[in-house]
Amino acid sequence: AQSVTQLGSHVSVSEGALVLLRCNYSSSVPPYLFWYVQYPNQGLQLLLKYTSAATLVKGINGFEAEFKKSETSFHLTKPSAHMSDAAEYFCAVSRGGNTGKLIFGQGTTLQVKP
Amino acid sequence: GAVVSQHPSRVICKSGTSVKIECRSLDFQATTMFWYRQFPKKSLMLMATSNEGSKATYEQGVEKDKFLINHASLTLSTLTVTSAHPEDSSFYICSARDRAGGWETQYFGPGTRLLVL
């Protein structure tokens, strides 16, 4: 069975500081992993996805994530936080096969302080 | 980019009434749409998978008679919450899988906030 754990329900950083949002997964099959961002009262927007190609994945808005199989991790990073990055971030793993079904983590709220 | 819309964005209804939520893919065809429910400060929970022209498949624990799903065309899926109760109050989000894209490509709607009084 697949599952996702996001460590830290709330992360606060200063503007310009490094952003690190943690995600660990469990999967019985080679995983497809995703990071989504959700702004207040909006749907989810895909930041990036890992689909078994390069382990370092670059996404939109300067975000990237590295797939580490040995650590079963897929942490999201951004070198320099911007105020507009404040949002809810979700890590997700595909359930398996090509169903498109996703299992989401609990989410991490990113606060960016001026 | 691909756009998915939901209507209404917000609805308040009385207990016992039914509410229909529409999910539309505006610029692509979606053979598959997913319906999620999101509680405050909580993750998204997949409720059901909607396939065009066939019956929806529901996740374990989701009452199919309570949450009726219809996927009548390649651009429209509807979720009807029947005989709504206050515990059905939630944020409902749909996503649509682009027929022309890879299986892992899906786009999310902006969500519908349902409040049952």
Side-chain angles (χ1 to χ4, degrees):
Chain A
Q2 285 71 33
S3 67
V4 171
T5 301
Q6 290 183 241
L7 301 175
S9 60
H10 189 274
V11 171
S12 181
V13 300
S14 298
E15 190 174 20
L18 171 71
V19 175
L20 171 60
L21 304 182
R22 300 178 187 273
C23 173
N24 286 90
Y25 70 91
S26 173
S27 179
S28 55
V29 298
Y32 280 37
L33 294 158
F34 307 80
W35 273 101
Y36 287 90
V37 61
Q38 184 182 32
Y39 296 101
N41 295 312
Q42 294 186 29
L44 277 67
Q45 180 182 6
L46 179 67
L47 281 176
L48 48 81
K49 62 182 177 183
Y50 167 76
T51 56
S52 74
T55 56
L56 182 61
V57 182
K58 294 186 183 297
I60 62 172
N61 301 339
F63 284 94
E64 64 181 37
E66 185 172 8
F67 172 71
K68 292 187 177 181
K69 184 178 180 180
S70 61
E71 299 177 8
T72 61
S73 69
F74 189 58
H75 301 331
L76 181 71
T77 61
K78 181 174 180 177
S80 177
H82 193 273
M83 296 297 291
S84 61
D85 294 326
E88 190 80 15
Y89 291 80
F90 292 95
C91 181
V93 64
S94 62
R95 187 174 288 189
N98 61 354
T99 63
K101 294 182 179 181
L102 298 176
I103 298 170
F104 286 87
Q106 291 293 92
T108 298
T109 303
L110 176 64
Q111 179 187 23
V112 182
K113 296 182 288 187
Chain B
V3 178
V4 175
S5 70
Q6 282 185 240
H7 178 79
S9 58
R10 180 185 299 261
V11 57
I12 301 173
C13 69
K14 293 182 179 179
S15 185
T17 61
S18 295
V19 175
K20 179 185 285 188
I21 302 170
E22 294 185 346
C23 176
R24 292 182 185 272
S25 56
L26 298 185
D27 49 5
F28 66 97
Q29 293 184 328
T31 52
T32 303
M33 290 183 174
F34 302 95
W35 286 95
Y36 294 86
R37 182 172 179 175
Q38 184 179 34
F39 296 94
K41 304 297 183 183
K42 293 289 186 181
S43 180
L44 280 75
M45 180 192 76
L46 178 65
M47 298 174 65
T49 303
S50 169
N51 294 298
E52 186 266 338
S54 64
K55 290 184 178 180
T57 55
Y58 291 81
E59 296 300 305
Q60 190 173 8
V62 178
E63 300 177 59
K64 61 181 181 181
D65 294 330
K66 172 77 170 174
F67 299 99
L68 300 178
I69 292 173
N70 183 273
H71 194 153
S73 75
L74 286 173
T75 60
L76 173 65
S77 176
T78 60
L79 167 68
T80 301
V81 183
T82 62
S83 187
H85 290 281
E87 58 265 30
D88 298 325
S89 298
S90 193
F91 195 51
Y92 293 88
I93 301 175
C94 73
S95 71
R97 195 162 72 177
D98 188 344
R99 186 183 193 185
W103 66 264
E104 78 281 4
T105 302
Q106 58 185 286
Y107 303 96
F108 286 79
T112 296
R113 188 163 298 283
L114 170 64
L115 177 61
V116 184
L117 302 177

